Coordinates of all heavy atoms in Angstrom, one line a residue:
S1 N 0.8 -1.2 0.0 CA 0.0 0.0 0.0 C 0.9 1.3 0.0 O 0.4 2.3 -0.3 CB -0.9 0.0 1.2 OG -0.2 0.0 2.4
M2 N 2.1 1.1 0.4 CA 3.0 2.3 0.4 C 4.0 2.3 -0.8 O 5.1 3.0 -0.7 CB 3.8 2.3 1.8 CG 3.0 2.4 3.0 SD 2.1 4.0 3.0 CE 3.5 5.0 3.5
S3 N 3.7 1.6 -1.8 CA 4.6 1.5 -3.0 C 3.8 0.9 -4.1 O 2.6 0.9 -4.1 CB 5.8 0.7 -2.7 OG 6.7 0.7 -3.8
D4 N 4.5 0.5 -5.2 CA 3.9 -0.2 -6.3 C 4.8 -1.4 -6.5 O 6.0 -1.3 -6.9 CB 3.8 0.7 -7.5 CG 3.1 0.1 -8.7 OD1 3.2 -1.2 -8.9 OD2 2.3 0.8 -9.4
T5 N 4.2 -2.6 -6.4 CA 5.0 -3.8 -6.5 C 5.7 -3.9 -7.9 O 6.8 -4.5 -7.9 CB 4.0 -5.0 -6.4 OG1 3.4 -4.9 -5.2 CG2 4.7 -6.4 -6.5
F6 N 5.2 -3.4 -8.9 CA 5.7 -3.5 -10.2 C 6.5 -2.3 -10.7 O 6.8 -2.0 -11.9 CB 4.7 -3.8 -11.3 CG 4.0 -5.2 -11.0 CD1 2.9 -5.3 -10.1 CD2 4.6 -6.3 -11.4 CE1 2.4 -6.5 -9.8 CE2 4.0 -7.6 -11.2 CZ 2.9 -7.7 -10.3
H7 N 7.0 -1.4 -9.7 CA 7.8 -0.3 -10.0 C 9.1 -0.8 -10.7 O 9.6 -1.8 -10.5 CB 8.2 0.5 -8.7 CG 8.8 1.8 -8.9 ND1 10.1 1.9 -9.2 CD2 8.3 3.0 -8.8 CE1 10.4 3.2 -9.3 NE2 9.3 3.9 -9.1
K8 N 9.6 0.1 -11.6 CA 10.7 -0.3 -12.4 C 12.0 -0.6 -11.5 O 12.9 -1.3 -12.0 CB 11.1 0.8 -13.4 CG 11.5 2.2 -12.8 CD 11.8 3.2 -13.9 CE 12.2 4.5 -13.2 NZ 13.4 4.5 -12.4
D9 N 12.1 0.0 -10.3 CA 13.2 -0.2 -9.5 C 13.1 -1.5 -8.6 O 13.9 -1.8 -7.8 CB 13.4 0.9 -8.5 CG 13.8 2.2 -9.3 OD1 14.3 2.1 -10.4 OD2 13.6 3.3 -8.7
V10 N 12.0 -2.3 -8.8 CA 11.8 -3.6 -8.2 C 12.1 -4.7 -9.2 O 11.4 -4.7 -10.2 CB 10.3 -3.7 -7.6 CG1 10.2 -5.1 -6.9 CG2 10.0 -2.6 -6.7
T11 N 13.1 -5.5 -8.9 CA 13.5 -6.5 -9.9 C 12.5 -7.6 -10.0 O 11.6 -7.8 -9.1 CB 14.8 -7.1 -9.5 OG1 14.7 -7.9 -8.2 CG2 15.9 -6.0 -9.3
D12 N 12.6 -8.4 -11.1 CA 11.7 -9.5 -11.3 C 11.9 -10.5 -10.1 O 10.9 -11.1 -9.6 CB 12.0 -10.2 -12.6 CG 11.5 -9.5 -13.8 OD1 10.8 -8.4 -13.6 OD2 11.7 -9.9 -14.9
L13 N 13.1 -10.7 -9.7 CA 13.4 -11.7 -8.6 C 12.7 -11.2 -7.3 O 12.1 -12.1 -6.6 CB 14.9 -11.7 -8.3 CG 15.3 -12.6 -7.1 CD1 14.8 -14.0 -7.2 CD2 16.8 -12.5 -6.9
K14 N 12.7 -10.0 -7.0 CA 12.1 -9.5 -5.7 C 10.5 -9.6 -5.9 O 9.8 -10.0 -4.9 CB 12.4 -8.0 -5.5 CG 13.9 -7.9 -5.0 CD 14.3 -6.4 -4.9 CE 15.8 -6.4 -4.5 NZ 16.3 -5.0 -4.5
I15 N 10.0 -9.4 -7.0 CA 8.5 -9.6 -7.2 C 8.2 -11.1 -7.0 O 7.2 -11.4 -6.4 CB 8.1 -9.1 -8.6 CG1 8.2 -7.6 -8.7 CG2 6.7 -9.6 -8.9 CD1 8.0 -7.1 -10.1
Q16 N 9.0 -11.9 -7.6 CA 8.8 -13.4 -7.4 C 8.9 -13.8 -6.0 O 8.0 -14.7 -5.5 CB 9.8 -14.2 -8.3 CG 9.4 -15.7 -8.4 CD 8.1 -15.9 -9.0 OE1 7.7 -15.5 -10.1 NE2 7.2 -16.6 -8.3
L17 N 9.8 -13.3 -5.2 CA 9.9 -13.6 -3.8 C 8.6 -13.2 -3.1 O 8.1 -14.0 -2.2 CB 11.1 -12.9 -3.2 CG 12.5 -13.4 -3.6 CD1 13.6 -12.5 -3.1 CD2 12.7 -14.8 -3.1
I18 N 8.0 -12.1 -3.4 CA 6.8 -11.7 -2.8 C 5.7 -12.6 -3.2 O 4.9 -13.0 -2.3 CB 6.5 -10.2 -3.2 CG1 7.5 -9.3 -2.5 CG2 5.0 -9.8 -2.8 CD1 7.4 -7.8 -3.1
L19 N 5.6 -13.0 -4.4 CA 4.5 -13.9 -4.9 C 4.7 -15.3 -4.3 O 3.7 -15.9 -3.9 CB 4.6 -14.0 -6.4 CG 4.2 -12.8 -7.2 CD1 4.4 -13.0 -8.7 CD2 2.8 -12.4 -6.9
D20 N 6.0 -15.7 -4.1 CA 6.2 -17.0 -3.4 C 5.7 -17.0 -1.9 O 5.1 -17.9 -1.4 CB 7.7 -17.3 -3.4 CG 8.2 -17.7 -4.8 OD1 7.4 -18.0 -5.7 OD2 9.4 -17.7 -5.0
E21 N 5.9 -15.8 -1.3 CA 5.4 -15.7 0.1 C 3.9 -15.7 0.2 O 3.3 -16.3 1.1 CB 6.0 -14.4 0.7 CG 5.9 -14.3 2.2 CD 6.8 -15.3 2.9 OE1 7.7 -15.9 2.3 OE2 6.5 -15.6 4.1
C22 N 3.3 -15.1 -0.8 CA 1.8 -15.2 -0.9 C 1.4 -16.7 -1.1 O 0.5 -17.1 -0.3 CB 1.3 -14.4 -2.1 SG 1.6 -12.6 -2.0
Y23 N 2.0 -17.4 -2.0 CA 1.7 -18.8 -2.2 C 1.8 -19.6 -0.9 O 0.9 -20.4 -0.6 CB 2.6 -19.3 -3.3 CG 2.5 -20.9 -3.5 CD1 1.4 -21.3 -4.3 CD2 3.3 -21.7 -2.9 CE1 1.3 -22.7 -4.5 CE2 3.2 -23.1 -3.1 CZ 2.2 -23.6 -3.9 OH 2.1 -24.9 -4.1
F24 N 2.9 -19.4 -0.2 CA 3.1 -20.2 1.0 C 2.2 -19.8 2.2 O 2.2 -20.4 3.3 CB 4.6 -20.2 1.4 CG 5.4 -20.9 0.5 CD1 6.4 -20.3 -0.3 CD2 5.2 -22.3 0.3 CE1 7.2 -21.0 -1.1 CE2 6.0 -23.0 -0.6 CZ 7.0 -22.4 -1.3
N25 N 1.4 -18.7 2.0 CA 0.5 -18.3 3.1 C -0.9 -18.3 2.7 O -1.7 -17.6 3.2 CB 0.9 -16.9 3.5 CG 2.2 -16.8 4.4 OD1 2.0 -17.0 5.7 ND2 3.4 -16.5 3.8
D26 N -1.2 -19.3 1.9 CA -2.6 -19.7 1.7 C -3.1 -20.2 3.0 O -2.4 -20.9 3.7 CB -2.6 -20.8 0.6 CG -4.1 -21.1 0.2 OD1 -4.9 -20.2 0.0 OD2 -4.3 -22.3 -0.1
P27 N -4.4 -20.0 3.5 CA -5.5 -19.4 2.8 C -5.8 -17.9 2.8 O -6.9 -17.4 2.5 CB -6.7 -20.1 3.4 CG -6.3 -20.2 4.9 CD -4.8 -20.4 4.8

């Protein structure tokens, strides 16, 4: 909420790490 996940200064790797964390915290 305090940034944009897909900002140009955020690498693909860092975005993937965030998505992985989402995956492992289902439900």
Side-chain angles (χ1 to χ4, degrees):
S1 63
M2 297 296 288
S3 186
D4 188 322
T5 302
F6 297 90
H7 191 283
K8 65 180 178 63
D9 293 340
V10 181
T11 65
D12 286 357
L13 174 59
K14 290 173 181 176
I15 293 172
Q16 190 59 57
L17 289 172
I18 291 170
L19 294 175
D20 289 346
E21 195 65 19
C22 295
Y23 173 81
F24 288 117
N25 280 279
D26 187 41

